[in-house]
Amino acid sequence: MQTKKILQDYTKEELSRMITPSFRAKQIYSWVYHKYVEHFEQMKNLPQQMREQLSEAFTLMPLKILMVQDSIDGSRKYLFELHDGHTVEVVLLLMRDKEYHEDGSVKHQERYTVCISSQVGCKVGCAFCLTAKGGFMRDLSAGEIVEQVRQVKMDNGIDANRRVNLVFMGMGEPLDNLSAVAKSVQIFADEEGMAIATHRQTISTSGLSSKIKKLGEMDLGINLAISLHAVDDALRETLMPINKAYNIQSIIDAVNAFPVNSRKRVMFEYLVIRNVNDDITAAKKLLSLLDGIKAKVNLIYFNPYGGTEFERPEEKDMVAFQEYLVKRGLLCTIRESKGLDISAACGQLREQERGEAV
Ligand code: SAH
Ligand code: SF4
């Protein structure tokens, strides 16, 4: 069992109160988040005695890479081991955007997005989700969340200055671990650390309405994504038992109270499952449900795994659903099946490692 504190658990301000002289906190942040050091010994501008004291009190490597899987589409999936032997998944997604310039030239730009986990397992228990099948083990600390991104950047040689986006769409329900998640958002955003602006971070939730309100009051500037997946309470309850405690209307009310940057929208994720929620009647209801909300809809193909009763929707139904919404003025995209060949829906790599059928 680990007795040392995790350095990445602390904001720069906290760290500067924990060490003397306090200005060293800034230097430590730079070593950790810009120069990607693994040992305090490498922090050359710190006095030797301080390096020793720090390495006695803190660990810099609370996670270990256990498995890596590459997908043909460029996404890379990691299984990390925590100090107590639990494992979590992280996915690095690489998008190649085309940028059109005034002179007619086209520049290809690579954009990184890291999909991170907030808990080991999940309490919410959605019927379609593999993470839920393993039950809930524990919350991650802020540092364990922060370290997922640092190690993915280290492992891929992604320069500290390269822009990355973060999505809390890995394992766990971020709002069920709100204090650690909110703290990690702030640590990520530190200008002298990873400098990932809060508008580049997205928290995805199954819809804990009371916590959406709380998150809104924190006014962090993050983007909000709601995993809606169904437009009537009866169906949503069978897919997501949390709907019994927080029904669809309560989520809509919480979203309406959420502070959204004037250029941004709230994303509604809609996991499309064949013959369950893929009909046009659902699209129609979705349209009226989101009426008046600055929303965008992201349709997600259900990603099947061994033992599930659910099926991937047909492409034609997916497209018809999207067209119905788009023609009526609702922004709607279909999420590419990034990393489908490496089972990118979170929870799947972990199950594989545990030797169960995927
Ligand atoms: N707990 C949060 C964030 C993690 S899940 C939430 O539910 O929003 C991230 C997304 O993956 C959710 O929208 C979830 O519905 C989706 N997901 C879960 N299982 C999936 C599967 N088998 N195929 C595709 N997406 C899945
Ligand atoms: Fe938890 Fe999200 Fe999976 Fe539901 S979909 S069980 S909330 S991780």
Side-chain angles (χ1 to χ4, degrees), residues 241-305:
I242 188 94
N243 198 76
K244 290 182 193 130
Y246 302 105
N247 67 13
I248 296 176
Q249 192 52 51
S250 78
I251 298 174
I252 299 293
D253 292 345
V255 167
N256 277 320
F258 195 83
V260 186
N261 179 304
S262 56
R263 284 172 296 130
K264 293 277 179 174
R265 293 164 188 271
V266 172
M267 192 213 282
F268 285 84
E269 294 162 281
Y270 190 91
L271 179 69
V272 187
I273 308 173
R274 189 174 173 191
N275 294 338
V276 172
N277 62 357
D278 58 353
D279 54 305
I280 291 299
T281 325
K284 212 178 220 172
K285 269 198 188 166
L286 184 57
L287 190 71
S288 61
L289 199 61
L290 301 185
D291 188 32
I293 299 179
K294 260 183 79 179
K296 73 175 169 215
V297 173
N298 199 356
L299 300 178
I300 311 166
Y301 278 98
F302 173 69
N303 193 10
Y305 47 88

Side-chain angles (χ1 to χ4, degrees), residues 14 133 159 195 223 226 237:
E14 283 173 335
K133 303 271 184 275
D159 195 78
N223 303 305
I226 305 287
E237 272 176 28

Side-chain angles (χ1 to χ4, degrees), residues 64-71 75-81 87-92 115 117 129-131 152 170-171 303-306 339-358:
K64 207 167 72 187
I65 296 174
L66 214 56
M67 263 169 88
V68 187
Q69 265 187 20
D70 279 329
S71 163
S75 60
R76 179 170 282 178
K77 190 163 191 170
Y78 287 88
L79 189 69
F80 279 108
E81 186 180 32
T87 51
V88 290
E89 295 185 8
V90 179
V91 187
L92 172 67
C115 175
S117 292
C129 175
L130 199 53
T131 296
V152 165
M171 299 171 67
N303 193 10
Y305 47 88
L340 197 64
D341 58 320
I342 54 159
S343 342
C346 272
Q348 301 195 5
L349 187 64
R350 182 160 164 264
E351 291 299 309
Q352 220 164 298
E353 155 73 12
R354 283 154 38 132
E356 291 167 35
V358 175

